[in-house]
């Protein structure tokens, strides 16, 4: 590349964008390290990095950027895995609204967020009856969308069906009076 063109390009993009590129690459590396921590069972360290990556992507790219939404989904998945339901619900409510607005209901990431959100609702031992109902409704809609968009045999569709059965069972168990009373 010609030296003048190269310097002109640097001037055009500016130092801030170069910093953003290196900051973005650092966040990608941290996300990869979080994956490694997960595989090693170092879940607290994984969660710390997932939060850092999501907040970093949010700061760097904004809430409507696809990379930020993926980072939010990854963080929420870790929160769910660690049973931090309240924090996962807050993060997903915010991120799902953005994903639905920016990507639409039929996008794979939106479908995944809705599935994980429903899981955070019905897998929470302290879930209210309304939250269990919301989980069932969310999974019914999600399963229907996943089947139409991804197809019946797709793993996301199959998982949604399984989670729908589990959420219905949780709701039924809560609605059915105990015979011990």
């Amino acid at each position: 590349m010609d030296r003048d063109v190269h310097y002109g390009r640097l001037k055009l993009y500016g130092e801030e964008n170069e910093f953003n590129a290196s900051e973005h690459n650092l966040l990608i590396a941290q996300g990869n390290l979080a994956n490694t921590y997960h595989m090693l069972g170092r879940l607290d360290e994984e969660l710390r990095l997932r939060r850092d990556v999501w907040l970093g992507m949010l700061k760097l790219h904004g809430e409507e950027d696809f990379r930020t939404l993926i980072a939010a989904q990854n963080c929420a998945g870790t929160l769910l895995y660690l049973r931090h339901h309240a924090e996962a619900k807050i993060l997903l409510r915010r991120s799902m609204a953005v994903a639905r607005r920016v990507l639409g209901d039929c996008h794979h990431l939106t479908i995944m967020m809705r599935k994980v959100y429903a899981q955070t609702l019905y897998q929470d031992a302290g879930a209210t009856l309304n939250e269990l109902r919301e989980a069932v409704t969310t999974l019914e809609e999600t399963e229907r969308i996943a089947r139409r968009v991804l197809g019946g045999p797709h793993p996301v569709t199959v998982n949604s069906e399984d989670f729908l059965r589990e959420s219905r069972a949780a709701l039924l168990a809560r609605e059915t009076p105990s015979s011990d009373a």
Side-chain angles (χ1 to χ4, degrees), residues 27 85 175:
L27 293 170
H85 296 103
E175 288 179 328

Side-chain angles (χ1 to χ4, degrees), residues 39-139:
M39 289 187 283
L40 294 173
R42 295 169 62 176
L43 303 178
D44 290 333
E45 292 160 294
E46 175 195 3
L47 180 57
R48 181 183 52 78
L49 284 175
R50 296 281 185 215
R51 285 181 178 133
D52 289 348
V53 170
W54 171 64
L55 291 170
M57 291 291 189
L58 184 63
K59 179 181 171 189
L60 197 61
H61 302 296
E63 73 175 358
E64 293 185 350
D65 188 271
F66 187 71
R67 296 163 292 193
T68 303
L69 292 170
I70 289 173
Q73 168 66 16
N74 290 340
C75 186
T78 301
L79 288 166
L80 173 64
Y81 190 82
L82 291 171
R83 301 186 186 285
H84 294 257
H85 296 103
E87 189 178 350
K89 282 184 245 184
I90 292 167
L91 175 57
L92 284 165
R93 282 184 182 127
R94 174 182 177 175
S95 300
M96 274 189 337
V98 174
R100 292 176 85 174
R101 184 177 71 248
V102 173
L103 304 173
D105 283 330
C106 296
H107 193 278
H108 184 268
L109 184 58
T110 307
I111 294 168
M112 290 294 295
M113 282 183 167
R114 290 171 56 93
K115 182 176 69 100
V116 172
Y117 175 68
Q119 286 178 265
T120 65
L121 293 174
Y122 84 83
Q123 290 180 3
D124 185 354
T128 66
L129 199 52
N130 283 339
E131 288 175 324
L132 293 173
R133 288 182 182 124
E134 183 182 0
V136 169
T137 301
T138 300
L139 284 166

